[in-house]
Amino acid sequence: LAGLAPAPFCGMVLADFGAKVIRVDRTKVFTTGDTLARGKRSVAINLKTAHGVALLRRLCVMEKLGLNPYELLRENPRLIFARLTGYGQNGCYATAAGHDINYLALSGKD
């Protein structure tokens, strides 16, 4: 899904190595040139509709939307499933979204 640097960068690297990468954008959102879009296809999907979620289910995995990676991997064993987190996979912030400024604020580093 379109987002900030780590996931788009990972997708670009996978595309550079020959993976078929499809970036999913939100509908009705103006996007500027994505410098990390090299080698990727893109599609805009409205994830607030059943049709949009069904389409995403065929393209990608998101447990937050009720999409189970293990089911989808059975359907498509070539699927690459990656989880990126800035806070680690365990602990009180494990499910929280964050970015550099959040990490710096919590760590107390400057």
Side-chain angles (χ1 to χ4, degrees), residues 85-87 92-98 103:
T85 174
Y87 295 112
C92 61
Y93 295 111
T95 61
Y103 310 141

Side-chain angles (χ1 to χ4, degrees), residues 18-62:
K20 179 179 171 184
V21 178
I22 302 171
R23 185 185 72 209
V24 178
D25 293 308
R26 295 179 180 150
T27 56
K28 300 181 183 178
V29 174
F30 175 75
T31 57
T32 58
D34 181 356
T35 59
L36 300 175
R38 181 177 69 224
K40 301 178 197 176
R41 296 179 183 180
S42 68
V43 61
I45 300 176
N46 183 349
L47 297 176
K48 295 182 179 182
T49 67
H51 176 72
V53 172
L55 178 57
L56 179 63
R57 183 178 183 86
R58 292 191 352 234
L59 296 175
C60 190
V61 176
M62 281 192 60

